[in-house]
């Protein structure tokens, strides 16, 4: 089954926010955002801007009828700055004009006087100052303090991982259109239509039932539109509310990069202890998360860092503490992996450090400590592990030793090029860690001509979730996919949705769709049974034909649908799904938060040009736990995309804020994402074949985020290549490993000060 969007994508006919035909009289918005990262607003002057050509009105915090508040988890973020600004790019005023150009020209004429206050960009410094978003949290198993004495070897260190720009191809945006009686429809490029609806209602002080949010699809979200699409949707709604005219705002790329948050940078400390057989006995980690200026999703991201602090290893004694540190950067937010990759990098660094000191390959320590079924995670859940299965299959399919030998042989015979290799096992928990968010609904209508319409809370953002919803209905009804249409995601049809996130959208919405279709199917079977005068359990629908007692009848799908309608039996169903058995108690930091885990193992090989510091990713070879993939094309695409995005984060994407909190890497000329020349020359993905039961839709495990973490292997492969050239290189665990950093470490050593 190919992705149902491929036809319109290829023809350029797929509708994104900026393609929606505009109503006559539509106005355009542009935000005036803070040029200062932290300060008190002394005065705001919009008089010149108001005189600017085409300007209709300029809104400020004073024009907000309800609460000036967009914070989702914690109410700590104003929509428009009232008295203080907290980051460069924070919206202060909203200019409305007859054209986009006029709105942006007027923005340039707004002036503000800000009394600068202390600007903090470093999370450790913020923590010293007591600037925490929430109190710190600690996950614990066993007792590290008494375990150290049982360790033969103990190593300590620190790591840094930088942020990451989402760089969805479609920038953030919204289009708000007033309806009768004060209602507003917001077309929004959001992963969370309900978040936009709820926040618009709060800001405008209207009931949620007056706000309709509609989303056709996104040109990528990657977490960047889980929470942060809200600002633009609500700003447009605010203007539409006052002016009673449609208002549109699509951000330009540099506005988007400047004003929105990114993946959280982390600064971390670790201490790892092993016995003489390289078993990890104890592990301690402290994470300093750079949250930016407001909570946004940071507390949830921080929590997932703790959930994934041991990656796919069993460690009997773990103590992991995390601080969410308030700085004056744009609030950082969800990004594929959601804090998990940041936690996993630290344990991989700890293993790398131990391996280097003990002069063994890291793979030896990795393999020896893989989770087994029944092992307990630090948060209490018992593993249903595929970690060893994935590792062993990787060896079987790709021959790890042979690959290691090829790298060693290459390095022995080449002076100026060196290869490096690294293994990266992954383990990622599937479910929102906030248990209540694990719920979804699906509305299925069968029309009298036999065609089917599906509406769910899932948002299509390139990951193929609509295709999967359609497959569910096609399979349950046993009808052709051409008979089925997946509708836009709309808060009037499906209410109180969780965002499309946590890789869980296909599972949650898919299982709800499964339940809805099954309920309608049952009624169809009942109606057929009456017509054919046999028991309903003897009725079967196969490929649009009705079978009775296993024999094909005269009845086809269409005829049965119409007959059921004539009997006045409902052909519609709204179903609800929530995964059974999940729970978590934050007061104990224990529970069973995940429906299941996804596992996998990758081998990454790189070649470094030791004169120039540039490098190529030769190959990424993976065994991935798909469960039983319901769409291998879509799922392979998710793996490839995730791997490349992970490699980008780990090797080349470098976000730079200066000490004033200004984004220096503010355009694609200064921020480098992987392109066709820098992606791996080879990506081979081999599915792990297991028949084990899981809670995934049709046993097809969630695939959206886990593969990103294979990208961490590229960082360690590069380190290993550098070490092959310069064994005394002193390389800080500081990602991304840019060509600049590679070059520096090729020619510096433990004894040089410049490397520090
Ligand atoms: N794939 C594409 N093409 N575009 C995206 O924006 N987002 C990722 C992943 N894959 C994304 C993507 C993220 S962050 C998540 S959480 C999942 O898709 C969400 O979709 P799912 O729950 O349907 O897997
Ligand atoms: N979003 C969220 C997520 O709100 N909760 C989560 O647990 C999560 N996990 C991954 C990605 N987004
Ligand atoms: Mo994905 S970070 O859960 O949107």
């Amino acid at each position: 089954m190919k992705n149902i969007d491929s036809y319109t994508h290829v023809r350029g006919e797929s509708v994104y926010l900026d393609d929606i035909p505009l109503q006559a009289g539509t106005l355009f918005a542009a935000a005036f955002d803070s040029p200062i990262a932290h300060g008190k607003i002394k005065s705001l002057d919009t008089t010149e801007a108001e005189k600017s050509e085409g300007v209709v009105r300029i809104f400020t915090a004073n024009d907000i009828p309800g609460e000036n508040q967009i914070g989702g988890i914690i109410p700590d973020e104003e929509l428009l700055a009232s008295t203080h600004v907290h980051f460069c790019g924070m919206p202060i005023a909203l200019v409305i004009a007859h054209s986009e150009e006029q709105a942006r020209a007027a923005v340039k004429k707004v002036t503000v006087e800000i009394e600068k206050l202390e600007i903090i960009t470093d999370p450790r410094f913020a923590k010293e100052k007591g600037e925490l978003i929430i109190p710190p949290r600690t996950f614990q198993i066993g007792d590290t303090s008494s375990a150290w004495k049982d360790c033969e070897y103990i190593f300590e260190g620190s790591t840094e991982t930088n942020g990451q720009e989402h760089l969805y191809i479609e920038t953030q945006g919204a289009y708000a259109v007033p309806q009768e009686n004060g209602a507003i429809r917001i077309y929004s490029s959001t992963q969370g239509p309900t978040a936009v609806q709820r926040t618009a209602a709060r800001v405008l002080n209207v009931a949620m039932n007056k706000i309709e949010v509609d989303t056709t699809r996104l040109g990528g979200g990657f977490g960047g539109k889980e929470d942060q699409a809200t600002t633009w949707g609500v700003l447009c709604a605010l203007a539409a509310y006052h002016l009673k005219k449609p208002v549109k705002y699509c951000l330009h790329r540099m506005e988007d990069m400047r004003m929105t948050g990114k993946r959280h940078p982390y600064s971390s400390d670790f201490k790892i202890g092993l016995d003489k057989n390289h078993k990890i006995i104890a592990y301690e980690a402290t994470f300093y998360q750079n949250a930016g200026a407001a909570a946004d999703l940071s507390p949830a991201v921080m929590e997932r860092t703790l959930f994934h602090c041991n990656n796919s290893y069993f460690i009997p004694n773990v103590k992991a503490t995390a601080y969410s540190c308030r700085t004056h950067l744009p609030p950082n937010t969800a990004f594929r992996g959601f804090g998990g990759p940041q936690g996993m990098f630290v344990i991989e660094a700890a293993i790398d450090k131990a391996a280097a000191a003990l002069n063994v390959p890291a793979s030896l320590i990795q393999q020896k400590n893989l989770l087994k079924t029944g092992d307990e995670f630090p948060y209490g859940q018992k593993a249903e592990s595929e970690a060893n299965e994935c590792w062993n299959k990787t060896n079987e399919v790709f021959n790890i030793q042979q690959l290691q030998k090829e790298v060693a042989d290459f390095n022995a015979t080449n002076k100026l090029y060196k290869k490096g290799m690294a293994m990266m096992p992954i383990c990622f928990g599937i479910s929102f860690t906030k248990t209540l968010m694990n719920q979804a609904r699906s509305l299925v209508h069968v029309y009298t001509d036999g065609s089917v319409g599906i509406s769910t809370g899932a948002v299509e953002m390139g990951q193929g979730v609509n295709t999967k919803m359609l497959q569910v209905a096609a399979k349950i009804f046993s009808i052709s996919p051409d008979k089925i249409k997946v509708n836009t995601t709309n808060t009037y049809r499906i209410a109180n949705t969780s965002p499309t996130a946590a890789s869980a959208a296909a599972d949650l919405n898919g299982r709800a769709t499964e339940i809805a279709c099954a309920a309608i199917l049952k009624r169809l079977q009942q109606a057929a049974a009456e017509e054919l005068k046999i028991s309903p359990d003897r009725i079967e629908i196969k490929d649009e034909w009705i079978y009775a007692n296993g024999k094909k009848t005269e009845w086809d799908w269409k005829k049965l649908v119409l007959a059921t309608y004539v009997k006045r039996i409902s052909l519609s169903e709204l179903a609800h799904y929530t995964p059974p058995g999940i729970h978590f108690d934050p007061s104990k930091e224990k529970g069973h938060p995940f429906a299941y885990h996804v596992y996998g193992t990758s081998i990454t090989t790189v070649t470094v040009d030791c004169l120039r510091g540039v490098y190529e990713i030769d190959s990424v070879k993976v065994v991935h736990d798909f469960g039983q993939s319901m769409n291998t094309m879509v799922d392979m695409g998710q793996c490839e995309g995730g791997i490349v995005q992970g490699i980008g984060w780990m090797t080349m994407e470098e976000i730079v804020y200066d000490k004033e909190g200004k984004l220096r890497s503010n355009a694609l000329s200064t921020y480098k994402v992987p392109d066709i020349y820098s992606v791996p020359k080879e990506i081979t993905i081999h599915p792990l074949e297991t028949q084990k039961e899981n809670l995934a839709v049709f046993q097809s495990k969630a695939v959206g985020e886990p593969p990103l973490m294979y990208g961490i292997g590229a960082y360690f492969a590069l380190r290993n290549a550098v070490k092959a050239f310069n064994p005394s290189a002193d390389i800080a665990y500081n990602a991304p490993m840019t060509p600049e950093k590679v070059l520096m470490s090729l020619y510096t050593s433990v004894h040089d000060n410049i490397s520090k």
Side-chain angles (χ1 to χ4, degrees):
M1 172 85 195
K2 66 172 182 249
N3 189 318
I4 53 172
D5 278 346
S6 46
Y7 183 80
T8 53
H9 277 2
V10 169
R11 293 168 61 95
E13 292 169 358
S14 297
V15 174
Y16 296 88
L17 186 91
D18 207 22
D19 302 315
I20 295 171
L22 300 183
Q23 289 194 11
T26 291
L27 301 171
F28 297 85
F32 170 74
D33 60 294
S34 179
I36 303 286
H38 187 203
K40 186 169 189 290
I41 301 175
K42 306 287 280 181
S43 66
L44 178 70
D45 187 356
T46 58
T47 45
E48 283 306 307
E50 267 154 32
K51 285 187 239 155
S52 188
E53 194 189 341
V55 169
V56 175
R57 218 178 127 179
I58 300 179
F59 295 103
T60 65
N62 296 329
D63 299 300
I64 292 174
E67 263 180 275
N68 182 12
Q69 187 50 249
I70 59 168
I73 296 179
I74 299 172
D76 69 346
E77 188 179 356
E78 289 184 336
L79 176 67
L80 291 166
S82 57
T83 61
H84 289 78
V85 290
H86 302 281
F87 61 92
C88 282
M90 181 172 184
I92 300 174
L94 188 72
V95 176
I96 309 296
H98 288 288
S99 77
E100 271 189 75
E101 294 71 19
Q102 289 168 339
R104 287 199 168 85
V107 161
K108 295 208 179 91
K109 297 178 185 163
V110 177
T111 58
V112 67
E113 207 189 319
I114 294 172
E115 183 189 316
K116 211 155 109 181
L117 297 168
E118 186 189 26
I119 294 164
I120 301 174
T121 57
D122 176 66
R124 291 186 191 245
F125 185 68
K127 190 245 166 189
E128 284 312 308
K129 289 241 157 184
E131 289 290 337
L132 296 180
I133 301 275
I134 52 164
R137 288 175 66 176
T138 299
F139 279 23
Q140 224 166 335
I141 185 170
D143 179 8
T144 47
S145 58
S146 67
W148 298 119
K149 67 173 180 340
D150 302 328
C151 298
E152 184 79 14
Y153 314 109
I154 295 175
F155 305 98
E156 293 181 69
S158 298
T159 72
E160 302 279 334
T161 50
N162 201 338
Q164 186 176 21
E165 166 62 44
H166 299 87
L167 219 88
Y168 21 65
I169 293 177
E170 179 196 35
T171 54
Q172 303 265 8
Y175 179 39
V177 184
Q179 311 290 308
E180 65 177 20
N181 291 320
I184 297 175
R185 176 184 299 153
I186 307 172
Y187 299 96
S188 168
S189 178
T190 180
Q191 293 173 239
T194 294
V196 177
Q197 178 196 25
R198 188 187 293 121
T199 312
R202 177 190 201 177
V203 168
L204 301 181
N205 193 26
V206 301
M208 279 175 78
N209 66 8
K210 293 250 169 150
I211 308 287
E212 174 186 7
V213 178
D214 190 272
T215 303
T216 300
R217 66 165 66 69
L218 317 189
F222 306 110
K225 296 169 182 172
E226 182 175 336
D227 222 39
Q228 299 210 354
T230 299
T231 308
W232 325 106
V234 177
L235 284 174
C236 288
L238 175 69
Y241 170 95
H242 284 292
L243 299 170
K244 309 209 167 5
K245 288 267 175 63
V247 176
K248 177 173 165 177
Y249 189 7
C250 283
L251 274 64
H252 282 183
R253 181 63 66 186
M254 285 176 76
E255 294 173 337
D256 191 306
M257 291 178 84
R258 182 174 78 234
M259 294 197 244
T260 66
K262 311 181 190 313
R263 183 188 292 286
H264 293 78
Y266 274 63
S267 182
S268 311
D269 299 322
F270 64 78
K271 183 174 176 186
I272 189 168
L274 302 90
D275 71 8
K276 60 179 185 313
N277 299 318
H278 305 113
K279 273 264 181 202
I280 305 172
I281 302 295
Y283 178 63
E284 282 183 3
T286 311
F287 302 102
Y288 301 91
Q289 176 199 57
N290 191 334
D296 192 274
L297 290 163
S298 298
V301 171
M302 178 186 110
E303 180 174 71
R304 200 174 265 279
T305 302
L306 294 173
F307 279 117
H308 295 305
C309 71
N310 60 313
N311 189 11
S312 74
Y313 308 109
F314 173 66
I315 307 174
N317 302 284
V318 175
K319 184 177 177 193
T321 300
Y323 298 91
S324 181
C325 310
R326 192 191 309 276
T327 61
H328 299 103
L329 304 184
N332 286 314
T333 195
F335 197 136
R336 208 170 192 172
F338 204 75
Q342 291 95 319
M344 286 156 66
F345 181 83
V346 181
I347 181 78
E348 293 302 326
I351 289 173
D352 182 84
K353 183 149 190 174
L358 300 173
N359 204 21
V360 296
S363 58
L364 185 128
I365 301 177
Q366 289 174 314
Q367 187 188 5
K368 200 155 255 173
N369 291 281
L370 291 172
L371 276 161
K372 296 188 183 65
T373 291
D375 283 345
E376 190 174 333
F377 288 98
Y379 47 91
Q381 184 161 344
K382 297 265 169 53
E384 288 272 356
S385 184
E386 305 281 7
N388 283 287
E389 286 75 0
C390 287
W391 186 287
N392 295 340
K393 193 79 191 170
T394 304
N395 195 28
E396 192 186 311
V397 179
F398 301 114
N399 195 344
I400 301 169
Q401 265 190 341
Q402 176 63 27
L403 292 169
Q404 279 168 336
K405 186 176 176 300
E406 281 169 24
V407 168
D409 289 350
F410 179 94
N411 289 345
T413 51
N414 284 275
K415 254 198 175 133
L416 292 178
Y417 287 88
K418 295 290 179 190
K419 284 191 188 289
M421 189 181 129
M423 307 281 301
M424 181 66 198
I426 62 150
C427 166
F428 196 77
I430 302 302
S431 286
F432 288 94
T433 57
K434 189 147 189 66
T435 302
L436 80 85
M437 292 174 78
N438 296 287
Q439 52 170 307
R441 279 150 300 273
S442 173
L443 176 64
V444 177
H445 298 308
V446 179
Y447 294 94
T448 50
D449 65 351
S451 65
V452 174
I454 307 175
S455 301
T456 74
V459 170
E460 176 60 51
M461 46 185 173
Q463 87 282 37
V465 71
N466 281 357
T467 302
K468 289 183 176 176
M469 297 306 98
L470 190 147
Q471 284 182 271
V472 169
K475 183 160 172 188
I476 300 286
F477 289 139
S478 193
I479 60 175
S480 158
D482 322 330
K483 284 208 154 45
I484 308 168
K485 175 171 180 288
V486 181
N487 295 310
T488 63
T489 314
N490 184 298
T491 56
Y492 276 2
R493 268 180 273 118
I494 301 293
N496 311 324
T497 59
S498 292
T500 290
S503 306
D507 276 1
L508 297 173
N509 295 280
R511 298 214 73 163
T513 302
E514 195 182 338
I515 295 167
C517 293
I520 297 171
L521 178 68
K522 200 164 172 206
R523 283 178 228 139
L524 291 167
Q525 284 168 327
Q526 182 72 43
E530 283 171 25
E531 294 292 336
L532 298 167
K533 304 201 174 28
I534 62 164
S535 139
D537 57 346
R538 305 304 303 161
I539 297 284
E540 210 187 335
I541 301 176
K542 262 197 306 202
D543 299 331
E544 303 188 8
W545 278 99
I546 316 308
Y547 288 72
N549 283 325
K551 279 212 212 72
K552 200 168 180 177
T553 67
E554 299 284 282
W555 288 68
D556 69 358
W557 165 262
K558 250 169 123 166
K559 186 172 168 189
L560 175 59
V561 165
L562 192 61
T564 307
Y565 167 75
V566 168
K567 287 175 182 295
R568 287 174 286 150
I569 291 168
S570 169
L571 292 169
S572 298
E573 184 74 9
L574 173 68
H576 170 86
Y577 174 73
T578 180
I582 54 168
H583 55 88
F584 190 72
D585 180 354
S587 72
K588 300 195 176 71
E589 305 289 26
K590 296 283 178 196
H592 187 105
F594 298 117
Y596 58 88
H597 291 82
V598 171
Y599 294 85
T601 302
S602 68
I603 313 169
T604 305
T605 309
V606 302
T607 305
V608 171
D609 172 341
C610 300
L611 273 183
R612 298 170 187 84
V614 295
Y615 48 76
E616 288 181 341
I617 314 288
D618 303 332
S619 64
V620 182
K621 300 174 197 286
V622 181
V623 170
H624 185 81
D625 163 29
F626 293 99
Q628 291 159 47
S629 172
M630 67 188 286
N631 193 318
T632 45
M633 294 273 270
V634 164
D635 287 354
M636 289 291 176
Q638 285 295 293
C639 280
E640 291 175 0
I643 288 167
V644 170
Q645 202 164 35
I647 291 174
W649 172 51
M650 280 283 110
T651 67
M652 61 204 304
E653 298 182 40
E654 191 166 36
I655 288 184
V656 180
Y657 286 98
D658 64 19
K659 287 208 158 50
E660 295 295 306
K662 252 202 169 64
L663 182 66
R664 291 298 176 184
S665 50
N666 66 348
L668 295 182
S669 54
T670 46
Y671 186 76
K672 177 75 183 137
V673 288
D675 57 21
I676 195 68
Y677 300 105
S678 46
V679 299
K681 303 234 157 7
E682 175 204 335
I683 298 181
T684 306
I685 296 148
H686 188 93
L688 179 79
E689 273 148 37
T690 65
Q691 303 294 317
K692 284 188 204 156
E693 285 279 302
N694 59 52
L695 285 172
V697 57
F698 293 157
Q699 308 294 303
S700 179
K701 283 190 168 184
V703 70
E705 294 169 286
L708 180 130
M709 283 147 272
Y710 296 130
I712 295 171
Y715 172 89
F716 289 95
L718 282 170
R719 278 184 74 97
N720 291 338
V722 170
K723 287 270 178 95
F725 180 82
N726 175 11
S728 71
D730 182 23
I731 316 166
Y733 291 102
N734 185 342
M737 193 72 168
T738 56
E740 186 181 352
K741 273 192 211 141
V742 168
L743 186 63
M744 294 301 282
S745 49
L746 285 166
Y747 295 99
T748 57
S749 75
V750 191
H751 314 292
D752 299 335
N753 279 327
I754 35 173
S755 69
K756 290 277 151 63

